[in-house]
Amino acid sequence: MEHDNHSDSDLCTSILTKFSTSTDPQHHHLCSIIGDISQSLKDLNHPLTPLAYFGATCTSLDKLLSSHPNPPSHHVDALITVLSMVVPIISPAVLRKQSDYVSGLVIRVIGLHDVGDGVVVSGLKCVSHLLVVGNRTTWSDVSHLFGVVLGFVADSRLKVRRQAHVCLRDVMQGFQDTPVLSPASEAIASTFERFLLLAGGSNTNPNPKEGSRAQEVLYVLDSLKDTLPLMSVKFSTKILNYFKSLLALHQSAATRRITDSLYLLCLQPTVDVSPEALVDLLCSLATSVSSNEMTGDNLTFTARLLDSGMKKVFSLNRQACVVKLPVVFSAFKDILASEHEEPLSVAMEALKGLIHTCIDESLIKQGVDQITASGSVRKSAPTIIEKLCATVESLLDYSFAAVWDMSFQVVAAMFDKLGEFSSCFLKGTLKSLDGIQKLPDEDFLYRKQLHDCVGVAVVALGPETFLKFLPLNVEAQDLSDVNVWLFPILKQNIVGARLSFFNESLLDNIKVLKLKSAKHEQEGRIHSARSLDGLAYSLWSLLPSFCNYPVDTAESFKDLEKVLCHTLREEADFRGVICSSLQILVQQNKNITEGEYEPIGKVSISQQRAVSLYTPEVATCNLDVLRSSAREILSTLSGVFVKSTKDDGGSLQRTIGEFASIADKSVVSRLFKSTMSKLLKVTQEAGKIQNTKGSSSMEIDNSSNEPSLSQTRAKLYDLGVALLPGFGIEEVDLLYAAVQPALKDTESLIQKKAYKVLSTILEHDESFIARKFEELLKLMFEVMHSCHFSAKRHRLDCLYYLIAHVSKDESEHMKREIVASFLTEIILGLKESNKKTRNRAYEIIVQIGHACVDEDKGGNKENLYNFFNMVAGGLAGETPHMISAAVKGMARLTYEFNDLLSNAFNVLPSTFLLLQRKSREINKASLGFLKVLVAKSQAEGLQTHMRDMVEVLLSWQSSNKNHFKAKVKQLLEMLVKKCGLDAVKEAMPEEHMKLLTNIRKINERKERKHSANTEETKSRLTKATTSRLSRWNHTKIFSDFGDDDETEAMLNSKKSSIKSKRARKRLAEDSYEQLDDEPLDLLDREKTRSSLRSSDSLKRKLQADDEPEIDADGRLIISEEDKREVRTENGSDTDVRSVAASRKTEKRRKTSQAGWAYTGSEYSSKKAGGDLKRKGKFEPYAYWPLDRKMVSRRPEHRAAARKGMSSVVKRMEGQSVSNALAMKTKKIKKKSHKKHG
């Protein structure tokens, strides 16, 4: 049969496209029928619309059913399938009009005997769609068709049953908010009840045999999973009651289906359900947890169901939920006590969720009121909240030791929920936590989780109440009884506490400890005295936490002021803690009043609560109190600062600055003028001493005859600038006037301090720069040549602030003129010996470049190009120092700005000429510039200059004595990676092809080694060697050595993660900082890691070189098994350090494991230790010193050693070992005598 092509919307075309290639006979019949229908419509000139297909299909099906009592099944199947496809695309109005006719046809088809599953499935699809779009005003309109769908929900045929369940769900979804929802729900409940009665109700156990009545109940339960949430509340409650009866049977098949239905019901928050019926079911499930043995999966699912179910009940009926909470909590407790791993975390999270959701203020208040009313004698039964707390506390029993890490989280959640009322319900819990803390480490693995839990308890109760139940015991006679483990917990978790508690309680403990310490020191018990001093310091270290948003600053700070000032003067050890506390108080209140409170990182709930109490009014009141104390505190701090020999971390200076910012201007002015008077006096004394010495030369170091005067002057300058936040215009001008002569001072310390003070003024006071700009420029020029190298960094800071001020001016000419005036000095700063000075010079060059392109300030790329050209102008300098500094400046700008690559290529010819100079300083800088240019450029740009670059590098390399050969080789490797081997080969001269071949082989070897590594080794190597976001590192770029892959990767991308080997050679700058007589800088992460790696390797070496085993006769015992074990461990070791070992170590290992060696196995004994003499064999030589040539990499050395060993053994035949050694000693003496003779 031939069919014409139709449009995409044609039903016939879509069916043929989908099923024409199928091998199923039913699909062939379907294609044939739809083709016939389509052709008939064409013959009758009907449009091929869905309505036309619908009418033709219904007519054909009606004729077929009327003409044959038992019509062919394949025809019926094809027609009903077409009808099920066309019905959904017919308009609802047409379907409502023809509903009776179509439904009658479908019911007749479904009622035929010997029809296949496909026929029934297609018919059910038609019925469900007719029910959804049909008339739903009265139950009588839909009851017949709805009964048809219900009749198949327990059908024994799987496809039919599943389609019936889907249709029932769709129909109930369509019945929502219609009058027929309630009767439909009743029909479903009646059907379920009928199947239960037929199955024997609750007295008959479900039988899995197909077709049984019990199995039909299970089929109906399957249909209720999706249908139950769509039913009306009245009849869903009825079904829930039936569920409870079925749960009592404890049949796993029925229970699983019921729990599935309940879980889907509880997950939908908008579905209404009877909370009483639901909570009864949940309690039945909770009870079954402890009474029945469940699998891990069942326990996990039950825990999730109880969690979502109780939250659902709480949202519907709070009282019904809280009454049953103890039962549910006991079920979760039983789950945590089970032997299964899967449900543990689910039960823990469920408990935490229920604590935060279902325990509310009224429930807590009810328990508190009953405890208060009962007094000391308790007669009434425990309240609900008490039962819950008892269950949570029982999780700390030793029977739960395996899951204490989870128990601590649940206990912490309860503390967090109860807050300050935890003191009423969780007293015993704190004692249990204290008892667990005392367990030895080998028996307790969850100490961190315990401390986290105790921290939450501190937040909930507050330090005052917490320490009542779990005291520090600092007054204990035995120091081992002191709860020192609480100090870090308190320090981390105290927030929103009372300052008065610290003043009244903890300070008294500090006084007692100091008296005890003094007494023990007099008695000669120095160690005990130092321990008591440590406890006192630990108590003082809690002060910053008590100053973290305290609730009584305005009321209690005055009482604390005198103690703080006295301690600052008398106890130097506590100054850092006190200063930190005062800074916190001032900063927090200032931020609140200025509206600048910005939390850093994740803010705890306790801090949120404390901050919420800090309104602008409260913060203003607190600042008033602090301001009233500022005079005394500033006086104390300034006196201590001037007299102190050191200021750890600048804490005293920062604290002075914070209080100066809030103090009255008159107080700050008076203190500042007093400081300046002292400075003037000390300066005059220093001038007299200088005149007496009669020397006008600059001091290179600080070793003058009167160092105390210099230190005092420096301290006074620091004190003056510390008061800067509280200055007015007059004070700023006075400080500037005091600084001016110091900039010309011949002493390096004073000059450095003066520049530091001036840079601080320029940083914090923009108006001062505007008022004194011309004067500042003149001053900078005057003192330029007298600047000491130690003051260079701070001078560069001053220059930067002046240039930054100019960049805001609209005058481009003035901006360029100022930058040009100081540019030479900044560029020369790139060559300073001080690392901080160099870094600051690089930063300033980059910042000027960014200011040039800042469009908001009138910048553009042309300004950046001009600035680069100004830096490049330094290439015309007369000294190698200036030229190399200019090259470094160009390299830094090229690294930062990709727009400057074209300018950098323009100066390449000049760079090539510089490489021809015999100046190591210039050559090193030029190679670094080429390295940056190669790394930042694209391959196309490099290929243009490839030949010139390669020729210059190779010709220059051949005329130098190995100074930079490794660096040149690395540049060529970078070119190979960037442009490819063939491009470099074309530019490479023939006489240097061996170098290119060597580079290719090295790269291939690296790739093979990388691919040979296991995935575990690669991942561990990556973790060990991956650096952070790479940044500019001038030391590596301009080093004398050939840098490693890490430096190259740093140049290639600022944001790439580097996965390469560590550098095998330390740079000169790093090696200077790691001399044996220098202390290790623990703040330097790289040096600390390096030190740890060195110590680890030393430990491994010591472990490998164990003490030799010697028998009773004094003979060395060599175990062959131990050797084999060592070899096995070495061979299978995938540690990162082994992977990163040097190539030489690898070769030595391979040499020792391969090739020829004397094993001495023929002399080993099977029954005893040591060696045996064998008849007809040589004397054992296990005690003879081995020749180092035996492990040489050269075969000729190993052969000579073997030959020598053989001759020695032959010559010693028949002689004892002692004689042999004596002969060897005589030979050595003879040889040495001949040499000296």
Side-chain angles (χ1 to χ4, degrees):
M1 185 185 302
E2 296 181 0
H3 305 290
D4 297 334
N5 293 330
H6 305 289
S7 63
D8 294 337
S9 61
D10 185 13
L11 181 64
C12 176
T13 302
S14 61
I15 292 176
L16 291 176
T17 303
K18 186 176 181 179
F19 298 109
S20 60
T21 58
S22 175
T23 58
D24 191 343
Q26 292 182 352
H27 292 166
H28 291 171
H29 291 304
L30 176 62
C31 293
S32 177
I33 289 295
I34 193 64
D36 291 341
I37 294 175
S38 178
Q39 191 62 41
S40 300
L41 292 174
K42 289 180 183 179
D43 295 340
L44 296 174
N45 293 323
H46 290 304
L48 299 180
T49 61
L51 185 59
Y53 280 109
F54 172 70
T57 304
C58 290
T59 302
S60 300
L61 187 59
D62 191 11
K63 288 182 179 180
L64 183 64
L65 295 175
S66 301
S67 59
H68 297 84
N70 294 312
S73 59
H74 60 276
H75 286 177
V76 175
D77 190 357
L79 287 171
I80 195 67
T81 302
V82 172
L83 186 61
S84 67
M85 292 180 175
V86 76
V87 163
I89 57 179
I90 300 298
S91 65
V94 174
L95 288 179
R96 293 190 192 100
K97 187 175 182 180
Q98 301 294 331
S99 175
D100 294 338
Y101 173 67
V102 177
S103 60
L105 282 176
V106 174
I107 292 173
R108 288 166 63 189
V109 170
I110 295 175
L112 293 174
H113 297 288
D114 300 329
V115 292
D117 296 353
V119 173
V120 182
V121 169
S122 299
L124 287 174
K125 291 179 181 178
C126 296
V127 171
S128 66
H129 191 73
L130 290 172
L131 283 170
V132 171
V133 303
N135 296 317
R136 293 169 294 176
T137 55
T138 60
W139 174 242
S140 59
D141 296 334
V142 298
S143 59
H144 184 55
L145 287 178
F146 192 78
V148 172
V149 176
L150 282 178
F152 288 97
V153 293
D155 195 274
S156 60
R157 294 166 293 184
L158 179 61
K159 288 184 179 181
V160 174
R161 186 172 65 252
R162 286 183 176 175
Q163 186 60 46
H165 295 170
V166 172
C167 292
L168 184 61
R169 180 200 62 197
D170 294 341
V171 170
M172 291 300 294
Q173 187 70 47
F175 283 178
Q176 296 300 303
D177 301 325
T178 64
V180 298
L181 177 62
S182 181
S185 302
E186 182 180 5
I188 295 173
S190 301
T191 301
F192 183 45
E193 183 179 8
R194 177 169 56 85
F195 278 105
L196 283 176
L197 293 174
L198 291 174
S202 60
N203 298 322
T204 303
N205 295 335
N207 185 357
K209 182 180 178 181
E210 184 70 17
S212 67
R213 296 299 184 184
Q215 187 66 41
E216 291 176 345
V217 173
L218 298 180
Y219 292 156
V220 179
L221 287 174
D222 286 333
S223 70
L224 289 175
K225 288 181 186 179
D226 297 323
T227 309
L228 185 61
L230 303 173
M231 296 174 62
S232 61
V233 177
K234 177 181 178 181
F235 296 101
S236 64
T237 304
K238 187 176 182 180
I239 289 181
L240 291 178
N241 293 330
Y242 287 133
F243 280 177
K244 186 175 181 181
S245 302
L246 289 174
L247 285 177
L249 299 176
H250 301 298
Q251 296 295 326
S252 60
T255 301
R256 185 173 66 252
R257 288 167 170 81
I258 291 172
T259 53
D260 288 344
S261 299
L262 292 176
Y263 188 62
L264 292 175
L265 178 67
C266 295
L267 285 180
Q268 302 183 33
T270 58
V271 174
D272 196 9
V273 68
S274 171
E276 294 79 8
L278 180 57
V279 78
D280 284 343
L281 274 173
L282 295 175
C283 288
S284 299
L285 286 171
T287 306
S288 66
V289 170
S290 57
S291 60
N292 296 331
E293 288 292 334
M294 288 189 179
T295 64
D297 291 338
N298 288 341
L299 283 175
T300 303
F301 188 82
T302 303
R304 290 197 177 100
L305 174 58
L306 291 175
D307 180 26
S308 59
M310 293 303 291
K311 291 176 181 177
K312 176 79 173 176
V313 174
F314 184 82
S315 65
L316 297 173
N317 188 330
R318 173 197 169 276
Q319 188 59 33
C321 173
V322 297
V323 170
K324 300 296 183 181
L325 276 179
V327 178
V328 177
F329 270 52
S330 297
F332 284 125
K333 173 185 171 182
D334 294 334
I335 293 175
L336 287 173
S338 66
E339 299 178 354
H340 303 286
E341 293 290 336
E342 302 89 349
L344 297 181
S345 60
V346 178
M348 176 199 68
E349 294 296 335
L351 272 173
K352 290 164 60 178
L354 290 179
I355 287 172
H356 287 295
T357 303
C358 301
I359 297 179
D360 53 12
E361 294 182 3
S362 60
L363 187 64
I364 298 172
K365 186 176 183 301
Q366 178 185 356
V368 173
D369 292 343
Q370 187 161 333
I371 292 174
T372 305
S374 300
S376 58
V377 181
R378 183 68 180 272
K379 296 181 180 180
S380 60
T383 59
I384 295 174
I385 187 65
E386 288 179 289
K387 293 179 181 178
L388 299 180
C389 291
T391 302
V392 170
E393 183 178 342
S394 65
L395 296 177
L396 300 178
D397 294 342
Y398 284 93
S399 57
F400 292 91
V403 292
W404 267 346
D405 56 330
M406 300 184 183
S407 300
F408 293 144
Q409 295 187 48
V410 177
V411 172
M414 186 61 82
F415 269 114
D416 186 54
K417 187 65 181 181
L418 296 177
E420 59 182 345
F421 298 111
S422 301
S423 58
C424 300
F425 306 108
L426 297 175
K427 297 177 184 178
T429 304
L430 286 175
K431 295 180 181 179
S432 299
L433 293 172
D434 185 32
I436 295 174
Q437 166 63 28
K438 295 176 182 178
L439 293 175
D441 289 337
E442 56 269 17
D443 298 334
F444 184 50
L445 304 176
Y446 307 120
R447 202 166 300 279
K448 181 183 181 302
Q449 291 86 342
L450 169 65
H451 291 176
D452 292 341
C453 178
V454 175
V456 176
V458 172
V459 173
L461 292 167
E464 200 169 339
T465 307
F466 176 84
L467 291 175
K468 288 181 181 178
F469 297 111
L470 196 57
L472 291 169
N473 288 335
V474 292
E475 68 280 356
Q477 295 298 323
D478 188 357
L479 294 181
S480 61
D481 294 334
V482 180
N483 289 324
V484 293
W485 62 280
L486 288 176
F487 282 113
I489 299 174
L490 291 169
K491 187 175 180 181
Q492 186 176 359
N493 293 282
I494 292 177
V495 59
R498 292 192 309 118
L499 283 176
S500 57
F501 175 72
F502 184 88
N503 191 23
E504 297 166 1
S505 179
L506 297 186
L507 284 180
D508 291 341
N509 290 333
I510 292 173
K511 293 176 183 177
V512 173
L513 289 173
K514 297 298 292 183
L515 291 174
K516 282 186 179 181
S517 175
K519 181 180 178 182
H520 287 191
E521 193 165 357
Q522 290 176 358
E523 296 173 355
R525 300 160 62 184
I526 303 300
H527 178 72
S528 177
R530 297 290 80 82
S531 298
L532 291 170
D533 290 338
L535 287 177
Y537 183 83
S538 298
L539 287 172
W540 267 112
S541 67
L542 297 178
L543 180 59
S545 299
F546 277 91
C547 291
N548 189 14
Y549 294 104
V551 296
D552 61 341
T553 303
E555 296 81 9
S556 304
F557 183 77
K558 274 292 183 182
D559 299 331
L560 194 61
E561 175 191 336
K562 294 181 181 179
V563 179
L564 296 181
C565 291
H566 177 268
T567 307
L568 283 171
R569 286 190 292 265
E570 304 297 333
E571 302 285 348
D573 294 337
F574 305 141
R575 288 172 184 168
V577 173
I578 295 175
C579 288
S580 176
S581 306
L582 293 174
Q583 290 175 44
I584 292 172
L585 274 177
V586 175
Q587 290 171 359
Q588 289 180 348
N589 286 282
K590 279 172 59 179
N591 291 338
I592 294 296
T593 55
E594 296 170 2
E596 296 179 357
Y597 170 71
E598 293 182 2
I600 301 175
K602 185 178 180 181
V603 180
S604 62
I605 298 176
S606 58
Q607 184 164 343
Q608 294 177 7
R609 295 170 184 164
V611 174
S612 65
L613 300 175
Y614 262 61
T615 61
E617 293 76 14
V618 173
T620 303
C621 184
N622 293 340
L623 284 178
D624 291 339
V625 174
L626 293 173
R627 187 177 294 107
S628 64
S629 303
R631 179 177 180 179
E632 181 66 24
I633 292 176
L634 282 174
S635 176
T636 302
L637 288 172
S638 60
V640 171
F641 178 74
V642 173
K643 294 178 182 179
S644 64
T645 56
K646 61 178 181 178
D647 178 20
D648 292 337
S651 58
L652 287 170
Q653 260 187 296
R654 288 194 294 270
T655 309
I656 291 172
E658 291 294 342
F659 269 87
S661 66
I662 64 170
D664 292 335
K665 298 297 181 183
S666 58
V667 172
V668 178
S669 179
R670 192 179 304 114
L671 180 59
F672 173 68
K673 290 177 180 178
S674 172
T675 303
M676 290 298 100
S677 299
K678 295 177 183 178
L679 177 61
L680 177 61
K681 182 179 179 181
V682 174
T683 303
Q684 290 174 349
E685 293 179 7
K688 292 178 181 179
I689 294 175
Q690 188 70 18
N691 294 332
T692 303
K693 290 171 61 178
S695 173
S696 60
S697 61
M698 179 179 289
E699 294 291 335
I700 302 303
D701 54 18
N702 297 328
S703 58
S704 61
N705 292 331
E706 295 290 339
S708 60
L709 290 178
S710 300
Q711 295 291 339
T712 303
R713 289 176 67 191
K715 285 285 184 181
L716 291 173
Y717 275 119
D718 284 334
L719 177 58
V721 78
L723 296 169
L724 182 62
F727 282 178
I729 295 177
E730 180 183 355
E731 288 78 16
V732 174
D733 291 343
L734 180 58
L735 181 60
Y736 171 63
V739 164
Q740 285 183 356
L743 294 174
K744 305 174 185 178
D745 200 290
T746 57
E747 193 167 353
S748 60
L749 176 62
I750 301 303
Q751 193 180 114
K752 180 180 177 181
K753 286 294 180 183
Y755 273 110
K756 184 178 180 181
V757 171
L758 181 58
S759 66
T760 306
I761 295 174
L762 298 180
E763 180 183 4
H764 290 89
D765 195 345
E766 182 71 23
S767 61
F768 173 78
I769 303 178
R771 288 187 290 108
K772 303 279 187 178
F773 184 70
E774 297 295 335
E775 185 178 345
L776 287 168
L777 288 179
K778 182 179 179 182
L779 178 64
M780 289 293 102
F781 282 118
E782 289 178 359
V783 299
M784 177 188 300
H785 299 293
S786 62
C787 180
H788 193 267
F789 69 87
S790 63
K792 278 286 186 182
R793 176 166 64 95
H794 299 298
R795 175 176 170 83
L796 289 176
D797 286 335
C798 296
L799 296 180
Y800 167 70
Y801 294 125
L802 293 176
I803 293 173
H805 177 76
V806 175
S807 64
K808 299 177 182 178
D809 196 302
E810 296 181 358
S811 175
E812 189 63 36
H813 174 73
M814 185 177 184
K815 186 189 305 182
R816 189 181 300 113
E817 185 177 340
I818 298 299
V819 171
S821 302
F822 297 114
L823 186 58
T824 302
E825 184 177 358
I826 296 172
I827 292 176
L828 288 175
L830 303 177
K831 299 287 291 182
E832 286 290 334
S833 58
N834 185 275
K835 186 176 181 179
K836 291 182 178 179
T837 305
R838 292 197 308 273
N839 290 338
R840 189 58 181 142
Y842 279 113
E843 290 173 5
I844 291 175
I845 284 182
V846 171
Q847 288 166 345
I848 294 174
H850 282 293
C852 290
V853 294
D854 190 352
E855 296 181 356
D856 295 337
K857 299 176 182 178
N860 51 55
K861 291 183 180 180
E862 190 63 32
N863 294 338
L864 180 63
Y865 299 152
N866 293 333
F867 177 60
F868 181 84
N869 294 334
M870 292 170 64
V871 175
L875 298 179
E878 298 180 356
T879 62
H881 194 73
M882 180 62 200
I883 296 173
S884 60
V887 174
K888 288 186 174 185
M890 292 190 303
R892 182 65 184 96
L893 289 173
T894 304
Y895 177 84
E896 186 72 20
F897 302 99
N898 291 331
D899 294 330
L900 292 176
L901 286 174
S902 58
N903 299 66
F905 277 115
N906 292 336
V907 297
L908 258 185
S910 301
T911 308
F912 294 155
L913 292 175
L914 291 175
L915 285 173
Q916 297 176 8
R917 294 196 180 189
K918 295 181 179 181
S919 171
R920 184 171 180 176
E921 190 175 10
I922 295 177
N923 292 338
K924 182 166 61 174
S926 300
L927 288 176
F929 175 69
L930 289 178
K931 187 189 298 184
V932 172
L933 191 59
V934 170
K936 299 294 290 184
S937 302
Q938 298 296 328
E940 295 78 9
L942 289 174
Q943 288 175 355
T944 307
H945 305 273
M946 177 74 70
R947 185 172 299 276
D948 295 336
M949 192 180 300
V950 171
E951 289 179 357
V952 169
L953 286 175
L954 295 176
S955 62
W956 174 83
Q957 183 199 30
S958 60
S959 63
N960 284 269
K961 296 182 179 180
N962 296 322
H963 286 314
F964 302 108
K965 282 192 174 182
K967 203 174 186 71
V968 171
K969 183 179 179 181
Q970 192 207 14
L971 269 170
L972 293 175
E973 290 177 353
M974 293 172 65
L975 286 172
V976 169
K977 289 182 180 179
K978 183 76 75 168
C979 304
L981 185 65
D982 295 336
V984 180
K985 188 175 181 180
E986 291 179 1
M988 181 75 73
E990 188 64 31
E991 62 270 19
H992 293 285
M993 281 299 176
K994 289 184 178 180
L995 177 59
L996 192 61
T997 304
N998 178 257
I999 293 174
R1000 176 180 58 80
K1001 289 182 177 180
I1002 290 175
N1003 291 335
E1004 291 175 353
R1005 190 180 301 122
K1006 286 181 180 179
E1007 291 178 1
R1008 287 197 301 269
K1009 189 173 182 180
H1010 182 73
S1011 59
N1013 286 333
T1014 62
E1015 289 300 324
E1016 180 183 3
T1017 305
K1018 290 179 183 177
S1019 62
R1020 295 173 68 180
L1021 181 63
T1022 298
K1023 291 177 183 177
T1025 60
T1026 299
S1027 71
R1028 304 199 181 274
L1029 294 180
S1030 59
R1031 292 170 292 185
W1032 171 262
N1033 190 322
H1034 57 271
T1035 306
K1036 290 183 177 180
I1037 293 174
F1038 300 111
S1039 66
D1040 291 346
F1041 307 110
D1043 299 303
D1044 58 357
D1045 294 339
E1046 182 180 349
T1047 306
E1048 181 183 340
M1050 176 197 70
L1051 287 165
N1052 285 332
S1053 175
K1054 292 184 181 181
K1055 298 181 180 180
S1056 62
S1057 294
I1058 303 151
K1059 302 174 182 178
S1060 60
K1061 295 182 180 179
R1062 294 291 185 192
R1064 294 195 181 105
K1065 294 184 179 180
R1066 283 286 177 188
L1067 300 177
E1069 182 175 283
D1070 295 332
S1071 61
Y1072 293 151
E1073 295 174 1
Q1074 290 190 348
L1075 295 175
D1076 293 337
D1077 57 349
E1078 290 290 331
L1080 175 64
D1081 185 4
L1082 294 177
L1083 296 178
D1084 192 326
R1085 187 175 299 175
E1086 281 299 321
K1087 294 189 179 113
T1088 306
R1089 288 178 178 173
S1090 175
S1091 176
L1092 291 174
R1093 283 198 294 269
S1094 301
S1095 62
D1096 288 344
S1097 62
L1098 180 60
K1099 289 179 183 177
R1100 288 198 303 275
K1101 184 177 180 181
L1102 293 176
Q1103 292 171 358
D1105 300 335
D1106 292 332
E1107 290 294 328
E1109 188 177 358
I1110 301 175
D1111 66 359
D1113 299 329
R1115 293 180 296 180
L1116 180 66
I1117 299 175
I1118 300 175
S1119 175
E1120 293 296 328
E1121 294 180 359
D1122 292 344
K1123 287 183 179 180
R1124 284 193 294 270
E1125 290 175 1
V1126 171
R1127 288 193 193 102
T1128 303
E1129 292 174 2
N1130 289 341
S1132 62
D1133 188 11
T1134 59
D1135 188 69
V1136 174
R1137 299 181 182 89
S1138 299
V1139 175
S1142 66
R1143 192 178 304 165
K1144 180 184 284 189
T1145 306
E1146 289 290 336
K1147 288 189 175 181
R1148 281 205 302 268
R1149 186 180 300 156
K1150 292 177 181 177
T1151 305
S1152 65
Q1153 293 178 354
W1156 182 92
Y1158 284 100
T1159 62
S1161 59
E1162 62 268 26
Y1163 298 99
S1164 61
S1165 173
K1166 297 182 179 179
K1167 298 182 179 180
D1171 295 335
L1172 297 178
K1173 292 183 179 180
R1174 300 293 186 186
K1175 188 175 181 180
K1177 295 282 186 180
F1178 298 135
E1179 185 79 10
Y1181 53 83
Y1183 314 108
W1184 191 267
L1186 295 178
D1187 192 344
R1188 63 187 299 177
K1189 293 179 181 179
M1190 292 289 293
V1191 294
S1192 175
R1193 292 188 296 174
R1194 298 185 179 182
E1196 59 269 20
H1197 288 180
R1198 295 197 297 271
R1202 291 199 298 270
K1203 185 177 180 181
M1205 182 66 74
S1206 300
S1207 64
V1208 170
V1209 172
K1210 289 177 182 178
R1211 218 172 2 252
M1212 297 300 107
E1213 185 176 4
Q1215 298 186 21
S1216 65
V1217 175
S1218 59
N1219 292 336
L1221 290 172
M1223 290 181 64
K1224 183 71 175 177
T1225 306
K1226 289 179 182 179
K1227 280 188 175 185
I1228 294 172
K1229 288 183 178 180
K1230 286 181 181 179
K1231 289 182 179 180
S1232 61
H1233 181 71
K1234 287 180 180 180
K1235 286 182 180 179
H1236 295 291

